[in-house]
Amino acid sequence: MLLLALGVAVPSWAAVTTVAIAPGEPGGRLDRQLLSELDDRLEARDGPGALRVLYLEDAEVTTAKLRRELALIDATGIILLHDAAIAAYRKVLASGVSPSPRLSAYGAFSPANRRWLRRQGAGHLDLLPVLRRHLSWVRHGTGARRLVGWVTQGSPLLSLGDLLLEGEARLDVVKVLGRDAPVAGDRTEQVLLGLPGRVPRQQAAEVLGSRRGAWCLMPEWLADGCFGGVQPDMAGVADGLLRGLERGGGVTAPAAPRLDYAGRGRLSPEVRDGVQYVNVPASEIGRRARAERLWLGALLVGAGAMLALLSALGIERHRRRQRARFGLDAQTGLPGRPRLEQRLQRYLDSQHPFQLCWVSFDRLDGLQETLGPAGTQEAIRRIVKRLRRVARGEGYVARLEGDVFVVMSFLPIHESGESPAGTMFAERLQESLSAPFRVGTSDRLLLPRIGLVRSAMGRTPFGLLEEAQGAARQVLRGGERRPRELVPGAVAPEERSLALAEALAGLSDEALAEQMTLLVEPRFLLADRRCCGGEFRAYWRHPTWGEVPGKELMRLAEAAGRRALLDRTLCRLALEALARSGLAAMSEGPRFARPIWTLPLGLAQLSDADFIDALVERCQALGLATDGVELQWHGEELHEPWPLQPAIRYCRACGFGVVLKGLVHSRQALEAIFRQPLTRLALESRLMRGVPADQASILLIKSLRDMVKLAGRHITVTGVTTSDQLVAIRGMNFVSVQGPLFGGPQPVEVLVKRLAADESARAGRAGDPSLKGAVEPDDA
């Protein structure tokens, strides 16, 4: 049930209104401070009543009510707080409401919602990096061996998969509030990750009241008795949301460590500096006030000494501010990841060659278990000392997290390919770090692993760091402990996918078009073996990871939020190839005699009228008839509640055919077959694997054929590889077919020559009575 309430008093004369959609109830703890900060800023900028708040009670939504309330407000921008609000707004848009051009969101964890925000170009203050920093800070500050994360039932955090179970900032166990029991193991810390609504607060009471207590990401949990942690700064979040309305784009939400004063004893002393304390008791405040008075008295007695002391304190504060300002690691004074990435980008832009050495240690975590935090800190200090000694004058040392360091060294400008200078530097680094470290009272081997990567045009800082990390992992797998570069063929599939998605996210239209290759798989009529068109396939050749086929490319584009870019580039290249090759001329004449060329699209682009209008304009500019082109989407996308029927009718009105590929036995697929105004359906090639030996496969294909014929649709069989399969589908009275038996994907130029040769041969047989009824080559 949707409860819509006004968060602040709104005068009827307010000219500018920004709408915030948030889970919870008016006056509840969740986001109360954030909404107050937003109200103050909007009132100062746009006048009283510039912010309206629509609350979603218990994160439930009634689309009709929310749509009606939004229609009553002349909103200049919309702010969505957390996944519940984003899901509610998406439902409203799915019902036909036009999206707001100024959109900003905060705290989306669901991968689907994060992809949607990227597609919309909305501003997003990301809490996921804050969560990872929070987990790392709790583990490091408490010396915990295990972190147990508590989430609510159905939390979007559960959809992150292994992302929270890997690396230094990881959870060892994920439990559900209200279902699982609290833990009581030694050196185990509990972390609350849910939003503190009414029901989650009741469910979390047992966890907060247990012997171990709990840490929390959201500051509202502090009132329920959590210890604290790295938590978002609401003033900074409010500023970021308003900037996101104007500029869009995703940034990390500002955050800082915040701790309940009663829980300070759970942190190691070296971590307590720089923590903001809350709920400080009055006795402690009075004690500090008395100390300040004594200090002032001592200042009057020994003014000279105190001035010197104040000078020293001022210098130390200045150093701390400088470290925080320039992104320096508090423990070692080394630059952190943000500053390193800025430096990498600067040198990439200047095209000055450099090399990255990713340095990690196999046995540093073991020191944490045997010597405790103090032993680990001592080992890290000695590691930093050696890194600086080796890199002095030649490299730039940074610390990413825990036991991970990066050394950036510069290469001679004249060198290309393998760099002798870079290899010698890495070997010196390996030799220095492989020697024993004096930790405590004994010498210890920490076993370093060094992964190398060299800069190149078109690379990004993130891509370079990921490649260097992958090379370091391969050092461990290879067994030989020496610096090495990444071997793409030996990379784990998930690492390769992550690197490819990041590379795709950074490509421009022109760069993607240069790296993309288009092939066409021809389609033939079974009645007269005549080519009736073909399906375009896209292949992406990455300079490091090699060729990426079409299906994998589409999955990567979805993960990177670049599916619209991929579809736009594919359609542009395909239409230009049709116009350039002369295949358009073959489309002249009666419709039944014309080949139809198929372009694969995502369902989001098929439903985008602006995209379809741009496609029509492109066809007109190239002199192509739209009725010679089909737009194909895949049945796997039917899980989304897309407004299909109006979109497909609009495509048909523009002259395009619409094809559904990948029929599955589900309610959505049957609805698409019988209710959507499609022109053709295509069976997945995997359905042909068991034909003709497997009777179950034959029965499945026949049932699909009967349903499609009952709906009055034309159906195509794909993936035909053998003559036995061809005989089987001929007996089933299918209309068209494509597959390796008839020719696999091939360049447009090759297909043009083949069609011309087939037409010449067919014309020769038509003129020679003795050749009538002869079997064509395609009938092999």
Side-chain angles (χ1 to χ4, degrees):
M1 176 181 181
L2 178 66
L3 175 63
L4 298 170
L6 209 56
V8 291
V10 183
S12 60
W13 47 265
V16 179
T17 302
T18 299
V19 175
I21 303 177
E25 62 279 343
R29 293 179 185 173
L30 181 60
D31 297 316
R32 180 169 53 188
Q33 181 184 353
L34 173 57
L35 292 171
S36 177
E37 296 283 353
L38 284 171
D39 185 35
D40 291 343
R41 285 157 175 75
L42 289 171
E43 182 176 350
R45 189 186 71 181
D46 301 329
L51 176 68
R52 290 193 66 178
V53 184
L54 306 182
Y55 287 100
L56 310 174
E57 183 177 5
D58 293 331
E60 296 181 1
V61 59
T62 301
T63 304
K65 285 190 176 182
L66 183 56
R67 179 178 181 178
R68 185 167 59 252
E69 288 296 327
L70 288 174
L72 297 175
I73 305 171
D74 186 15
T76 60
I78 293 181
I79 296 175
L80 306 174
L81 303 184
H82 310 293
D83 286 281
I86 299 172
Y89 189 64
R90 291 181 66 185
K91 287 185 179 182
V92 172
L93 296 186
S95 66
V97 174
S98 300
S100 172
R102 300 171 72 245
L103 187 65
S104 185
Y106 164 59
F109 288 111
S110 166
N113 288 338
R114 293 163 70 89
R115 290 194 298 269
W116 180 82
L117 289 172
R118 286 197 296 268
R119 290 197 300 266
Q120 298 296 321
H124 178 211
L125 262 71
D126 197 352
L127 268 182
L128 184 56
V130 177
L131 171 59
R132 295 182 63 83
R133 179 185 168 195
H134 169 67
L135 296 176
S136 180
W137 184 83
V138 172
R139 186 185 294 273
H140 174 68
T142 62
R145 290 185 181 177
R146 297 174 70 246
L147 288 184
V148 178
W150 288 93
V151 300
T152 56
Q153 188 72 38
S155 169
L157 287 166
L158 294 173
S159 61
L160 293 177
D162 296 335
L163 187 62
L164 296 180
L165 302 175
E166 297 178 347
E168 176 71 17
R170 70 180 185 278
L171 289 171
D172 299 286
V173 180
V174 177
K175 291 178 174 287
V176 178
L177 289 171
R179 189 188 71 185
D180 300 323
V183 298
D186 293 335
R187 300 188 66 180
T188 298
E189 297 293 337
Q190 303 184 110
V191 184
L192 284 174
L193 302 179
L195 299 179
R198 175 176 54 83
V199 175
R201 287 203 301 272
Q202 296 172 356
Q203 296 172 341
E206 184 180 3
V207 176
L208 291 167
S210 64
R211 183 174 66 87
R212 303 303 307 172
W215 300 83
C216 53
L217 175 66
M218 304 305 293
E220 291 86 357
W221 281 112
L222 289 167
D224 294 275
C226 87
F227 301 129
V230 177
Q231 298 178 343
D233 173 56
M234 291 308 167
V237 170
D239 291 332
L241 285 172
L242 296 180
R243 284 194 300 269
L245 286 175
E246 305 297 334
R247 307 174 188 173
V251 296
T252 300
R258 187 179 290 107
L259 183 68
D260 190 284
Y261 186 78
R264 67 191 185 283
R266 305 186 68 88
L267 285 180
S268 57
E270 61 270 18
V271 183
R272 295 177 191 172
D273 293 339
V275 176
Q276 177 186 350
Y277 289 101
V278 297
N279 299 329
V280 181
S283 59
E284 177 64 18
I285 296 175
R287 187 187 65 81
R288 292 187 179 185
R290 289 193 298 272
E292 289 177 0
R293 287 194 295 269
L294 291 174
W295 182 77
L296 288 174
L299 178 62
L300 294 175
V301 174
M306 289 298 100
L307 287 175
L309 178 60
L310 287 175
S311 177
L313 290 174
I315 292 173
E316 180 60 25
R317 283 197 299 268
H318 176 71
R319 287 176 178 173
R320 288 185 181 178
R321 289 172 184 162
Q322 288 294 92
R323 288 178 180 176
R325 176 184 176 188
F326 293 111
L328 299 180
D329 179 61
Q331 180 185 350
T332 63
L334 293 176
R337 184 168 188 137
R339 190 174 179 186
L340 173 65
E341 290 185 347
Q342 292 174 5
R343 188 180 183 91
L344 293 178
Q345 189 61 59
R346 188 163 64 249
Y347 279 90
L348 286 170
D349 293 340
S350 67
Q351 299 183 11
H352 190 100
F354 61 87
Q355 170 184 274
L356 282 186
C357 296
W358 179 286
V359 183
S360 58
F361 297 86
D362 292 343
R363 292 185 178 175
L364 195 57
D365 285 340
L367 291 182
Q368 177 79 14
E369 299 178 359
T370 57
L371 300 180
T376 304
Q377 302 305 329
E378 182 181 356
I380 288 176
R381 286 194 296 269
R382 296 187 182 277
I383 289 171
V384 171
K385 186 175 181 180
R386 287 197 192 178
L387 288 172
R388 282 174 165 159
R389 184 172 65 243
V390 176
R392 184 177 293 120
E394 296 185 60
Y396 179 82
V397 184
R399 184 187 184 191
L400 299 190
E401 60 178 14
D403 63 341
V404 178
F405 299 85
V406 171
V407 183
M408 174 185 178
S409 59
F410 306 101
L411 304 177
I413 296 179
H414 64 274
E415 289 188 352
S416 60
E418 291 191 5
S419 168
T423 303
M424 291 174 60
F425 177 81
E427 293 287 356
R428 289 203 310 274
L429 199 61
Q430 179 80 49
E431 181 181 0
S432 175
L433 298 176
S434 297
F437 288 83
R438 189 72 175 181
V439 182
T441 59
S442 60
D443 293 337
R444 298 179 182 271
L445 291 174
L446 300 183
L447 301 183
R449 287 184 279 120
I450 300 179
L452 302 180
V453 64
R454 294 183 175 89
S455 62
M457 290 192 60
R459 304 301 301 274
T460 64
F462 179 85
L464 290 173
L465 290 171
E466 287 293 316
E467 187 170 331
Q469 183 182 19
R473 291 196 188 103
Q474 290 184 351
V475 171
L476 183 61
R477 297 176 191 146
E480 185 180 6
R481 199 166 288 275
R482 59 172 299 178
R484 65 176 294 172
E485 296 187 53
L486 180 71
V487 179
V491 172
E494 60 273 12
E495 296 174 12
R496 177 177 180 272
S497 296
L498 180 63
L500 284 171
E502 191 278 335
L504 186 59
L507 283 182
S508 63
D509 296 33
E510 295 75 13
L512 180 59
E514 291 176 0
Q515 298 179 15
M516 185 184 292
T517 301
L518 283 187
L519 302 179
V520 182
E521 183 177 11
R523 183 170 58 252
F524 294 86
L525 292 175
L526 280 172
D528 58 1
R529 301 169 298 279
R530 178 171 51 84
C531 178
C532 60
E535 178 183 343
F536 278 89
R537 303 280 181 85
Y539 297 82
W540 178 35
R541 178 166 293 279
H542 190 272
T544 301
W545 303 101
E547 186 172 275
V548 180
K551 286 188 176 180
E552 182 182 1
L553 177 57
M554 291 179 182
R555 288 195 297 269
L556 291 172
E558 289 285 354
R562 305 304 299 275
R563 183 61 192 270
L565 168 66
L566 173 63
D567 290 346
R568 186 169 60 249
T569 305
L570 186 151
C571 291
R572 176 169 62 85
L573 295 178
L575 294 177
E576 290 174 355
L578 288 174
R580 184 174 58 250
S581 63
L583 288 175
M586 300 180 182
S587 300
E588 297 177 355
R591 181 178 176 84
F592 67 87
R594 284 180 271 171
I596 309 297
W597 307 102
T598 306
L599 308 179
L601 289 181
L603 207 48
Q605 281 64 252
L606 188 71
S607 305
D608 187 351
D610 293 336
F611 185 94
I612 301 302
D613 291 340
L615 209 57
V616 172
E617 293 177 2
R618 191 70 181 172
C619 289
Q620 293 173 349
L622 295 172
L624 299 176
T626 56
D627 59 1
V629 178
E630 290 178 328
L631 308 179
Q632 175 177 285
W633 54 281
H634 204 281
E636 290 180 352
E637 299 185 61
L638 280 169
H639 63 278
E640 294 282 1
W642 297 95
L644 283 177
Q645 197 171 65
I648 295 177
R649 291 190 184 280
Y650 186 75
C651 293
R652 297 291 302 274
C654 293
F656 295 112
V658 181
V659 184
L660 168 61
K661 185 174 184 179
L663 300 177
V664 291
H665 281 295
S666 65
R667 180 181 59 81
Q668 294 94 337
L670 293 177
E671 180 181 353
I673 293 173
F674 288 101
R675 296 189 180 182
Q676 305 301 339
L678 304 170
T679 53
R680 186 169 62 88
L681 296 102
L683 295 182
E684 278 274 38
S685 58
R686 58 187 172 86
L687 296 179
M688 290 299 299
R689 293 172 186 168
V691 176
D694 185 8
Q695 290 299 318
S697 298
I698 294 178
L699 290 175
L700 175 61
I701 293 176
K702 284 184 176 180
S703 65
L704 291 173
R705 176 206 62 187
D706 294 341
M707 284 192 296
V708 172
K709 284 191 174 182
L710 184 63
R713 306 283 185 249
H714 169 194
I715 189 168
T716 297
V717 180
T718 67
V720 178
T721 58
T722 66
S723 298
D724 292 337
Q725 291 177 341
L726 179 61
V727 171
I729 63 171
R730 274 180 170 166
M732 299 181 201
N733 297 322
F734 282 101
V735 176
S736 58
V737 64
Q738 65 188 59
L741 184 66
F742 296 85
Q746 51 198 273
V748 174
E749 296 76 14
V750 175
L751 180 61
V752 170
K753 294 179 181 179
R754 177 181 175 181
L755 294 180
D758 290 348
E759 287 296 328
S760 300
R762 188 177 288 108
R765 284 192 294 272
D768 189 347
S770 65
L771 294 179
K772 288 186 178 179
V775 179
E776 295 190 13
D778 288 336
D779 289 336

